[in-house]
């Protein structure tokens, strides 16, 4: 009853299971069911996609408003944290002055 029981591990079977299971790669080539319509006149080539970001005036206004809002929120949080530290420091200083005066008052009475 008071002897520790050590669990016995089974003997190795020799079967190795990989950690990553292989996945089956399906045929991902597109299948066209209809043929393209051939016409006899010349088409202008499609414009190449540009890598520059173009904003509409409304989009620019949204970005500016979002930036201003973020700056205001972050500024408010930082100012409130600074104010909390200042109030805590002032209260600790007042407590230190009160304790100092109490201790000095006890020394004078003896």
């Amino acid at each position: 009853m008071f002897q520790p029981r050590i669990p016995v591990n089974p003997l190795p079977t020799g079967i190795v299971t990989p950690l990553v299971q292989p996945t089956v790669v399906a045929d991902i080539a597109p299948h066209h069911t209809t043929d393209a319509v051939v016409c006899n006149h010349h088409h202008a080539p499609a414009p190449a996609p540009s890598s520059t970001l173009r904003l509409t005036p409304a989009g620019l206004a949204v970005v500016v408003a979002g930036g201003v809002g973020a700056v205001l929120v972050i500024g408010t949080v930082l100012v409130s944290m600074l104010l909390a530290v200042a109030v805590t420091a002032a209260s600790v200083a007042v407590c230190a002055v009160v304790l100092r005066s109490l201790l000095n008052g006890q020394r004078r009475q003896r």
Side-chain angles (χ1 to χ4, degrees):
M1 182 174 152
F2 294 107
Q3 293 178 350
R5 296 177 189 237
I6 301 172
V8 178
N9 290 332
L11 295 174
T13 60
I15 300 172
V16 178
T17 56
L19 294 177
V20 179
Q21 297 295 331
T23 58
V24 177
V25 178
D27 184 20
I28 58 172
H31 297 285
H32 298 288
T33 57
T34 60
D35 292 332
V37 177
V38 179
C39 56
N40 293 328
H41 57 275
H42 179 70
H43 292 281
S50 176
S51 63
T52 60
L53 178 66
R54 294 184 182 152
L55 288 176
T56 62
L60 185 62
V62 168
V63 170
V64 169
V68 168
V71 167
L72 288 177
V73 168
I74 292 171
T76 303
V77 168
L78 291 177
V79 167
S80 63
M81 289 172 61
L82 180 64
L83 184 61
V85 169
V87 167
T88 304
S91 64
V92 168
V94 168
C95 290
V97 169
V98 168
L99 284 175
R100 184 178 174 187
S101 67
L102 288 174
L103 291 176
N104 283 340
Q106 286 181 352
R107 287 182 193 162
R108 289 181 187 162
Q109 289 178 357
R110 289 185 181 181

